[in-house]
Amino acid sequence: MKSAFPNISSIAYEGPQSKNPLAFKHYNPEEIVEGKTLREHLRFAVVYWHTFRGTGSDPFGAGTMQRPWDDGSNSVKNAQKRARVAFEFIQKLGAPYYCWHDRDVAPEGKTLAESNKNFDAVAEVLQEEQERTGVKLLWGTANLFSNPRFVHGASTSCNADVFAFAAAQVKKAMEVTHELGGEGYTFWGGREGYMTLLNTDMKREQEHLAKLLHLAVGYKKQIGFKGQFYIEPKPKEPTKHQYDSDAAACLNFLREYDLLPHFKLNIETNHATLAGHTMQHELETAGAAGALGSIDANTGDELLGWDTDQFPTNIYLTTYTMLSVLKYGGFTTGGVNFDAKVRRESFEPIDLFYAHIGGMDAFARGLKIAAAIRKDGRLAEFVKQRYASWDTGIGAKIESGKASLKEIEAYILKQGEVTPNTSGRQEYLENLINEFI
Ligand code: XUL
Ligand code: CO
């Protein structure tokens, strides 16, 4: 096949002095940080949906993207050709992983049987290309939100037939993920929520969502799929309220329905913003529960206020992200998945390279800065000292459950009064972070 990017060769690491826009300045995949290479730490993935299916359309206008390899048809042949282009791109970029929804890679047919057949025909090409390039599947997922049949939700639809359709689609997407050696499978409940409570039986809908996840857990075992299941929190858009609204809500849902042992969270930056949280907050919430699995790396425009899915270039964001990721032991099955799209105005194919190179360099810097902050140790030591009163005496007794309320009362009666005599030192800590940025 003719090259889709004939003027672009493999993107190389040239170092911080380089002025070549088609080179990495900070992402040297072989560089070792905290005992692992940058490639092993960051496990970059390219998303199929934005990068190869994004048209640049918005609510006010049609698509703008120039994609000369795409004939614009919905044919399987076009999808297969596009798959080969995708792998040329991912290989030249040097990302070790990619992710898809079933309907991004292959066209939906008139029936589920036809859709499955189309999916298999494209999956064959994906398999060939994975073998040819060594690029692997980080996770697969089913698109349970685009088709009008999901107007009232997928597993949370008021219509049981829609639940059945969604479940069958998940079954197939899990099978293909398994066949392609996927390291995970993600559930994002695009339409699992409500627009008005006037027509919604919330309890029943949430039970149905849990039912689908339990069915998937059972089927996973049956087919021997060893990948990690993820839930991806997002509070709104397209629905007014989504049941997987933020990390805390997802954890509560998973616990309530006995699903927590089977799932981790896939935390997305722009979704955190929409939930009124920082990415760091969502990562810490997931990490503290032992459920930090993977990240969808992007960023939002805070002045726009919707899910703009921009490529992350902010070094504070990547530093705080990697500080949390390292704190909880780094990625195992997960990775840094660029769920991000080039701007509508950035319509040339070369913009796809600039966007990913920028994101990868920003994360490489974030990782190195985070590792330097950890090596320096002052930040961790500060936090440790801040809680020192819990390490001995009454604090240790309370933590270990050995102090009764009566004992605690007696202790504090003896003390008389308490003064919280240490400063939070936020400004000092912000300055400390700036020493490393
Ligand atoms: C939507 C979103 C999805 C999920 C996968 O906002 O992030 O693309 O990542 O379904
Ligand atoms: Co996402």
Side-chain angles (χ1 to χ4, degrees), residues 49 232 266 268 271 296 339:
W49 51 100
E232 184 176 321
N266 178 38
E268 177 164 329
H271 296 180
D296 270 11
D339 192 356

